[in-house]
Amino acid sequence: MDVGCITNNLPSIAHPPKHGTKEDKEDEPLVFDASLPRHEHNLPKQFIWPDEEKPCLNPPELVVPLVDLRGFLSGDPVAAMEASGLMSEACRKHGFFLVVNHGIDSRLISHAHRFMDDFFELPLSQKQRAQRKKGEHCGYASSFPGRFSSKLPWKETLSFQFSADKHSKNLVKDYLCEKMGHEFEQFGMVYQEYCEAMSNLSLVIMELLGMSLGVGRTCFREFFDNNNSIMRLNYYPPCQKPDLTLGTGPHCDPTSLTILHQDKVGGLQVYVDNEWHSITPNFNAFVVNIGDTFMALSNGRYKSCLHRAVVNNQKTRKSLAFFLCPRDDKVVTPPSELVDHVSPRIYPDFTWPMFLEFTQKHYRADMNTLDQFTNWVQRNKS
Ligand SMILES: C=C1C[C@]23C[C@@]1(O)CC[C@H]2[C@]1(C)CCC[C@@](C)(C(=O)O)[C@H]1[C@@H]3C(=O)O
Ligand SMILES: O=C(O)CCC(=O)C(=O)O
Ligand SMILES: [Fe+2]
């Protein structure tokens, strides 16, 4: 797919000033670093979001279904029906649910959070050894000044690839050691183990989602076997003007399924019934949400939901986001059971690499990403 012509049709992402031009000085990319003294009271204008997108104070709490996986994991068919029923109700309404008794060691989760602190508290120059390159989705990024010209998110991120393929057992460790040096070997091993746990949990959830949609336990589990997913560490430093900016802007995840662990600070918000709702942190629960790619796989039966992250003026907030993505060669096509004259195809066939490139090079993911991508694919059908 030649994606070149997208650039002219969509609100393209700001291109950083050409080096050496006069804009360089005026538009020197904004970079902030959590370890710098927090004395900035006048927020740079690029971090100030439009009034209609600014955070609201004290949103109501979203009562999210708590899906207990213990029974299903022990083979109890009644528990399986209960769990898939709860998921179905949540996914038809807003696409978010919590999973508990998931079997993942709390020490692994704590290690992952601790290593995240270690990374983001490094001097900026060291973090920039893993600097995300233009058009690529892996690496370290600080608020994306080179990518966007306004509505910059108040966060630093570190993203890397995970492959469930048995020959890729060292992918995470090798990437982190290559970028950051061999002192990151343990960091890499912990995140390789964390991502394997996330991948296995994703496949369990895919079994239940398959059951809930009437396509059987193995349909989506096999589709995401050997997944080629993305792990993202979100680090949100305190902000002196938290009511003017956002940690992560309003969006639907373009990926298939997100398994998120937020720390105790809280800040994740979901847009349901025309209102923003907070999701209260729960160390023992993972927040799970459907992404755009799974919405296409389900032929629109399940919703990819609008959400965002707000910041505060007291504490750093962290979240671990595992984004499930199918192997590169998998074609996203809904099972035949989900397509008929009553429910005709809504989205075109596509592969995840096509959609990912769209979000990285030509369109800032928001609440319309899948529709924009669909329109472009249909316009460019050669
Ligand atoms: C495929 C992806 C693009 C973003 C990361 C992700 O892996 C899934 C979520 C996407 C994102 C977080 C949605 C909001 C806008 C965004 C630019 C961000 O704030 O980070 C998105 C990510 C991206 O780097 O494009
Ligand atoms: O940090 C959070 O709670 C949400 C982050 C998010 O939505 C994302 O990274 O896609
Ligand atoms: Fe998200």
Side-chain angles (χ1 to χ4, degrees):
M1 170 203 269
D2 169 20
V3 292
C5 58
I6 277 186
T7 313
N8 309 318
N9 305 330
L10 295 165
S12 66
I13 290 165
H15 294 289
K18 290 181 180 48
H19 287 292
T21 59
K22 78 174 174 53
E23 296 94 333
D24 229 0
K25 303 293 171 283
E26 288 158 22
D27 294 340
E28 187 63 34
L30 283 151
V31 172
F32 69 79
D33 173 30
S35 62
L36 293 178
R38 311 303 311 150
H39 55 68
E40 179 60 83
H41 290 292
N42 303 315
L43 223 53
K45 63 182 185 309
Q46 293 89 330
F47 286 95
I48 298 175
W49 286 63
D51 288 347
E52 65 275 14
E53 293 187 278
K54 284 185 176 71
C56 51
L57 294 176
N58 304 319
E61 180 187 356
L62 183 67
V63 179
V64 197
L66 212 56
V67 181
D68 187 326
L69 294 180
R70 181 176 288 137
F72 175 64
L73 291 170
S74 59
D76 174 349
V78 174
M81 294 303 290
E82 281 167 11
S84 64
L86 279 173
M87 286 186 188
S88 175
E89 180 193 347
C91 293
R92 288 177 199 281
K93 187 165 171 42
H94 47 60
F96 272 76
F97 54 90
L98 298 177
V99 293
V100 291
N101 296 320
H102 39 66
I104 291 168
D105 191 330
S106 59
R107 289 168 300 182
L108 176 59
I109 300 168
S110 299
H111 283 167
H113 276 280
R114 197 170 316 125
F115 276 115
M116 182 165 27
D117 284 330
D118 294 349
F119 175 81
F120 287 104
E121 284 163 12
L122 287 172
L124 182 59
S125 58
Q126 285 190 41
K127 291 183 280 189
Q128 287 178 324
R129 283 154 55 184
Q131 182 62 40
R132 176 191 171 279
K133 292 184 174 58
K134 186 170 179 290
E136 294 182 4
H137 66 284
C138 288
Y140 167 76
S142 168
S143 71
F144 304 127
R147 256 179 101 184
F148 312 131
S149 54
S150 65
K151 303 201 297 186
L152 295 186
W154 191 266
K155 66 178 173 183
E156 297 176 70
T157 60
L158 176 66
S159 303
F160 44 88
Q161 207 67 33
F162 166 80
S163 169
D165 183 293
K166 62 182 182 297
H167 302 302
S168 303
K169 287 278 184 206
N170 295 318
L171 184 69
V172 172
K173 175 172 65 69
D174 291 349
Y175 173 79
L176 288 161
C177 288
E178 177 209 332
K179 294 294 180 187
M180 299 300 295
H182 280 281
E183 62 273 26
F184 270 74
E185 183 152 13
Q186 201 191 358
F187 181 111
M189 288 164 69
V190 166
Y191 273 99
Q192 176 74 29
E193 186 182 353
Y194 184 87
C195 290
E196 282 166 1
M198 291 296 106
S199 174
N200 294 332
L201 178 57
S202 302
L203 297 181
V204 167
I205 292 168
M206 280 301 158
E207 285 190 39
L208 288 164
L209 289 173
M211 290 164 66
S212 74
L213 284 167
V215 298
R217 283 175 64 158
T218 60
C219 176
F220 296 134
R221 183 184 177 101
E222 288 171 358
F223 187 84
F224 289 102
D225 200 17
N226 281 339
N227 61 82
N228 189 14
S229 298
I230 300 167
M231 183 71 211
R232 170 169 278 203
L233 317 183
N234 290 309
Y235 193 84
Y236 303 97
C239 176
Q240 297 310 311
K241 300 275 188 182
D243 52 327
L244 302 182
T245 190
L246 287 171
T248 295
H251 69 282
C252 301
D253 293 338
T255 45
S256 293
L257 188 80
T258 306
I259 302 182
L260 184 115
H261 193 271
Q262 53 171 344
D263 69 6
K264 58 182 183 299
V265 174
L268 172 62
Q269 295 185 350
V270 181
Y271 195 72
V272 182
D273 297 335
N274 299 315
E275 193 175 10
W276 286 102
H277 292 72
S278 64
I279 292 194
T280 304
N282 172 350
F283 182 88
N284 298 311
F286 287 102
V287 183
V288 182
N289 67 272
I290 298 293
D292 289 343
T293 300
F294 193 84
M295 181 158 74
L297 260 182
S298 71
N299 197 29
R301 292 277 205 300
Y302 285 174
K303 304 301 171 212
S304 174
C305 184
L306 183 58
H307 58 285
R308 69 185 184 185
V310 299
V311 292
N312 68 82
N313 60 3
Q314 301 292 323
K315 295 179 182 174
T316 291
R317 176 178 177 260
K318 304 190 307 283
S319 69
L320 294 164
F322 178 84
F323 296 106
L324 181 69
C325 310
R327 219 177 46 206
D328 291 3
D329 61 341
K330 288 285 189 181
V331 176
V332 178
T333 303
S336 55
E337 298 93 324
L338 300 180
V339 182
D340 57 29
H341 65 288
V342 175
S343 314
R345 282 292 298 272
I346 303 175
Y347 306 104
D349 285 356
F350 60 90
T351 64
W352 168 243
M354 290 160 57
F355 194 16
L356 176 59
E357 181 170 345
F358 181 72
T359 68
Q360 296 307 296
K361 294 184 177 173
H362 305 287
Y363 189 81
R364 177 175 185 172
D366 56 15
M367 61 186 288
N368 303 311
T369 319
L370 184 55
D371 288 341
Q372 291 282 349
F373 179 64
T374 297
N375 295 342
W376 182 81
V377 168
Q378 276 153 0
R379 275 201 308 275
N380 288 274
K381 251 184 187 142
S382 43

